[in-house]
Amino acid sequence: GWHNVGLGPFAYTDNQPDSRDFDPLSGTICKLLYFLSLPPQKFGHFCDVSRRIWGDYEFVRRRDSTDEDQDPVLVDVNFSKDSTDSSITIAKECRIEQTIDLRGRMAHKFRVKHRGERAILKLSWTPVDRLPESAVYDALKAANIPNIPSVIDSGIIVKNSFGYRVEYLLIEDCGVPLVEYLQAQLTLGIDELSDIAASVMSQAVECIYSAWNAGILHCNITADSVVVKDGRVAIPDWGHAKFAKDCAVDVDTLAAKWLFDKNKVAGDEDCDAPTTVTPLYASIPVLVGATQRSIVDDVESAFFVAMDALYKLQVDPPVVGMVGAEVGGRKSLAFMRAGCMGHYRYMEAVGVAKCSELFAWLTDTFREYLFVRNGEYIGRDLAIDPEFERTVEIQQLERILVQIKERVFGKSPVSNTGKKPSQVGKSSTSVKAPRRSKRFQSKKRRR
């Protein structure tokens, strides 16, 4: 089914229940009330537990004859008996597996066919006070950010029901996560595979930097959001992204088009930051409850995505995640990660036994950028104090990107466009620091 939920126990198993029996029953009732509140006539095509979801669907722009000015982003979903040029074909076993939370934002992704070409269909159940993902893609396109998937079509199926909207997004199929891409090329040696991982990580960071420079922060870089196809790297899944208050894109126009309150979104985006992450790839500050983020958090996530991919290539049998994934609780994972990163043999500490010189140089460079300030290791401070604010060090990052162009892309077996990477600045002294709002700009810790 599209959304299969086990609610939990509905009755006591003892004639004399004690306090321990109340918690599971209370949780079951809360879940039941939540699902009973969902109107099936509106969300049956999306949250239904039916197993027969395959077929052809048409997403048609809604035009109410009584309202000439109705916004064209609103769409209706129709089941089509036969495949047409405008329909989307959902086949059996096409759903992309991913973790879905019962509360907050929920997204389903499918590999589909559209006009004979492969594409990714994404249906999202999103709080109305969050940015629509389609609006973020519009902003990324307007800012000419590299390594972004092309949007084929998008719209809003339900504008507002119980404080949620249902979004529809159809993008190009950009391939598979980095680890799957590497696993498909195991005939290569570990050095060649490491070089590919280094190139992919470099392009991911360049994309993150370019977006942040335009005032857009991804906020949930994971293994699934760094994908490769035919040697081309792409960064999808911008559903948790934030706009800076001084975003370079015309947010007013986007808000009018995608039906969101700019001021409401700007005021609420900080509130639940720790919940909008995948713990395995989250930065140490976010794991321990930091509510504000910067580009450093996204770079740290990309750093762990690359390390995780190489780790999975070197263990047999394959595992779910790199060392520390089995640790219970986010704070425990943060402390373990801080301990690993503080050791001079940190690569081995997280399970990466072998890698190329290029990958080792890249991870050493980013480890220093992420976890060293003024010559001191700050990983333990990050894990202990959620309010510890590490500086962004934008000039250091720009120097790294220039070095990457020389050392990584010069011999890269993977490229973003097939051309030379986009320019990130002539030198660290000639590039002005981008305008950043206070909630994105980290500060030095007061002592």
Side-chain angles (χ1 to χ4, degrees):
W2 288 32
H3 192 57
N4 190 9
V5 177
L7 293 177
F10 278 93
Y12 297 121
T13 58
D14 196 307
N15 291 330
Q16 295 181 333
D18 58 29
S19 59
R20 292 174 296 178
D21 294 313
F22 286 91
D23 287 340
L25 184 59
S26 175
T28 298
I29 294 174
C30 289
K31 293 178 185 177
L32 178 62
L33 291 174
Y34 170 74
F35 283 103
L36 287 177
S37 70
L38 304 181
Q41 71 276 15
K42 291 187 177 181
F43 297 104
H45 66 282
F46 180 39
C47 295
D48 200 348
V49 297
S50 169
R51 297 183 182 275
R52 297 185 59 85
I53 62 171
W54 56 87
D56 294 294
Y57 296 84
E58 290 185 338
F59 292 79
V60 183
R61 298 295 170 191
R62 190 179 307 169
R63 288 297 185 184
D64 189 340
S65 59
T66 62
D67 187 358
E68 295 293 334
D69 297 326
Q70 187 160 348
D71 199 290
V73 300
L74 298 176
V75 298
D76 288 319
V77 185
N78 301 321
F79 182 79
S80 177
K81 294 183 178 179
D82 301 303
S83 179
T84 65
D85 288 341
S86 60
S87 65
I88 296 173
T89 302
I90 301 179
K92 295 181 181 179
E93 308 300 330
C94 67
R95 180 176 171 181
I96 299 174
E97 295 294 332
Q98 60 180 6
T99 302
I100 294 177
D101 295 324
L102 286 177
R103 293 180 296 174
R105 189 175 185 275
M106 177 176 68
H108 295 287
K109 294 194 293 185
F110 304 88
R111 297 192 185 277
V112 300
K113 284 287 189 70
H114 177 67
R115 296 181 177 176
E117 300 291 334
R118 293 182 178 180
I120 300 296
L121 171 65
K122 191 171 186 179
L123 299 171
S124 304
W125 165 271
T126 311
V128 295
D129 57 2
R130 297 299 302 263
L131 277 171
E133 188 169 3
S134 298
V136 180
Y137 273 103
D138 278 359
L140 293 167
K141 182 178 180 180
N144 196 29
I145 306 303
N147 302 89
I148 301 300
S150 297
V151 176
I152 301 171
D153 195 15
S154 60
I156 295 176
I157 301 171
V158 177
K159 185 177 178 180
N160 189 341
S161 180
F162 294 94
Y164 284 79
R165 76 170 75 87
V166 175
E167 302 176 36
Y168 147 70
L169 180 65
L170 186 67
I171 63 174
E172 63 172 321
D173 187 344
C174 296
V176 296
L178 171 60
V179 63
E180 294 182 28
Y181 185 78
L182 296 177
Q183 288 171 341
Q185 304 182 67
L186 290 181
T187 54
L188 300 175
I190 190 63
D191 283 352
E192 290 86 350
L193 294 172
S194 300
D195 285 350
I196 294 175
S199 176
V200 172
M201 176 184 170
S202 300
Q203 293 178 60
V205 173
E206 183 183 359
C207 175
I208 291 167
Y209 166 81
S210 299
W212 178 82
N213 209 26
I216 307 167
L217 201 60
H218 190 288
C219 293
N220 193 29
I221 294 291
T222 69
D224 292 330
S225 55
V226 180
V227 297
V228 190
K229 179 181 180 182
D230 298 330
R232 178 177 177 265
V233 179
I235 309 298
D237 295 338
W238 293 80
H240 292 297
K242 302 178 184 178
F243 285 163
K245 293 179 180 178
D246 57 353
C247 182
V249 180
D250 185 355
V251 180
D252 290 321
T253 299
L254 290 175
K257 176 182 178 181
W258 290 104
L259 313 178
F260 65 89
D261 185 333
K262 181 186 73 170
N263 297 322
K264 179 65 175 175
V265 166
D268 286 356
E269 286 291 1
D270 286 338
C271 299
D272 59 348
T275 68
T276 60
V277 295
T278 303
L280 180 59
Y281 307 104
S283 69
I284 292 174
V286 173
L287 284 174
V288 297
T291 57
Q292 292 205 359
R293 303 186 187 178
S294 74
I295 184 176
V296 190
D297 297 293
D298 278 357
V299 171
E300 184 177 338
S301 294
F303 174 83
F304 287 125
V305 166
M307 299 273 279
D308 178 53
L310 272 198
Y311 167 63
K312 288 177 180 176
L313 291 180
Q314 300 179 41
V315 291
D316 189 24
V319 295
V320 175
M322 64 181 163
V323 172
E326 71 281 359
V327 175
R330 296 186 179 194
K331 289 187 177 180
S332 297
L333 178 58
F335 275 104
M336 174 172 283
R337 190 161 285 171
C340 291
M341 290 297 105
H343 198 278
Y344 76 98
R345 297 172 66 179
Y346 68 94
M347 296 276 281
E348 295 178 45
V350 297
V352 179
K354 299 178 182 179
C355 68
S356 65
E357 291 183 5
L358 179 63
F359 188 86
W361 169 81
L362 188 68
T363 52
D364 284 348
T365 302
F366 276 113
R367 175 189 171 277
E368 181 177 357
Y369 170 70
L370 294 168
F371 302 115
V372 177
R373 293 292 182 272
N374 298 321
E376 296 184 1
Y377 178 68
I378 62 169
R380 297 177 185 87
D381 294 300
L382 296 173
I384 293 173
D385 183 6
E387 300 301 319
F388 183 92
E389 297 184 63
R390 56 181 166 185
T391 53
V392 171
E393 302 295 338
I394 188 61
Q395 291 190 350
Q396 181 184 0
L397 179 58
E398 287 169 346
R399 284 195 298 269
I400 293 172
L401 292 174
V402 172
Q403 292 171 350
I404 283 173
K405 288 167 56 182
E406 299 170 352
R407 298 193 59 169
V408 179
F409 292 136
K411 56 179 295 187
S412 169
V414 184
S415 66
N416 52 357
T417 61
K419 302 177 181 180
K420 293 182 179 180
S422 59
Q423 296 292 323
V424 295
K426 300 298 182 181
S427 69
S428 60
T429 57
S430 62
V431 180
K432 294 182 179 180
R435 297 173 297 116
R436 285 280 65 80
S437 62
K438 291 183 179 179
R439 71 189 187 98
F440 276 1
Q441 181 67 50
S442 295
K443 303 175 181 177
K444 293 183 179 180
R445 186 184 184 188
R446 296 180 179 177
R447 298 185 181 274

